[in-house]
Amino acid sequence: MSETSVRPDPVMAEIGRGMELGQRGERDAAREVFAGAWDRLGADGDPFHICALAHSMADVQDDPREELVWDLRALEAADLVSDERARLAGVASPVAAFYPSLHLNLGDVYRRLGEWDLARAHLERGLDAVGTLGDDGYGQLIKGGLDRLAQRLAERSGEPLSVQPSHPLSEPASEPAFEPTEVNGPSPG
């Protein structure tokens, strides 16, 4: 039986460095790292890298309109990533497992922009894809985020939830609705 080793990926290492900066609250520095990677990668680069980079860049934007641009880039790139490409990068899950987080982020940014129908549509798409997640910490983080988004949208509309959250007792988070820590689609590790 032969094992396929994962080669070091300098782009993912750079994205990981930017993610660490963002998680430490150094958002400007993280944006600089991501912008440098984007300049080298470009819009026509490897969709796996674009997905990871755009998903991460969205998380460190201060303007929700800019965040939306990056979230949409991440979703578009994910549609072009194969499970084989993700596996070669060391991602154990199928690409389908990227979608709950991608739709959560889109649903939340649309909510903050007051685009309620689009927010609900992405919430539903995220909930439809949630079965691709494991029952690990990452899966629980994304499911909890989807639950909080569903609660916020229901509170805003005054209507009962049309979708049942996976964790009905989850506590609502303080604003912003979702600041991911390590939920950026393909992770560097």
Side-chain angles (χ1 to χ4, degrees):
M1 171 165 93
S2 68
E3 288 186 31
T4 304
S5 63
V6 176
R7 293 181 308 239
D9 183 332
V11 175
M12 292 307 294
E14 190 171 9
I15 292 168
R17 197 175 103 230
M19 289 170 61
E20 289 174 14
L21 289 166
Q23 291 168 1
R24 289 196 313 247
E26 299 176 44
R27 295 166 65 88
D28 291 336
R31 281 192 297 269
E32 286 180 32
V33 168
F34 295 141
W38 181 256
D39 288 344
R40 287 182 293 288
L41 186 61
D44 296 325
D46 175 1
F48 179 81
H49 288 147
I50 290 172
C51 180
L53 177 60
H55 198 47
S56 300
M57 179 65 116
D59 291 338
V60 295
Q61 296 303 307
D62 295 327
D63 181 340
R65 291 174 302 267
E66 284 297 312
E67 181 179 344
L68 176 61
V69 168
W70 289 103
D71 280 334
L72 289 169
R73 280 183 183 144
L75 181 63
E76 183 178 313
D79 290 340
L80 303 174
V81 177
S82 70
D83 287 339
E84 177 63 15
R85 172 61 183 102
R87 187 187 64 73
L88 289 173
V91 177
S93 62
V95 173
F98 296 0
Y99 288 95
S101 177
L102 293 168
H103 288 296
L104 167 59
N105 288 1
L106 278 161
D108 181 58
V109 75
Y110 278 126
R111 177 193 65 82
R112 287 184 280 125
L113 290 169
E115 298 283 348
W116 309 111
D117 291 339
L118 289 169
R120 278 188 281 284
H122 282 283
L123 170 63
E124 289 175 16
R125 290 178 72 186
L127 290 169
D128 287 346
V130 83
T132 61
L133 296 174
D135 198 26
D136 56 6
Y138 174 80
Q140 295 302 317
L141 179 68
I142 300 303
K143 291 171 188 174
L146 288 165
D147 291 347
R148 287 185 297 280
L149 178 57
Q151 288 175 328
R152 285 204 167 94
L153 291 174
E155 289 167 5
R156 190 255 169 219
S157 69
E159 298 171 8
L161 291 174
S162 62
V163 289
Q164 292 299 315
S166 57
H167 303 288
L169 301 177
S170 0
E171 302 260 337
S174 60
E175 291 295 326
F178 187 65
E179 281 291 325
T181 53
E182 293 184 317
V183 295
N184 294 323
S187 65

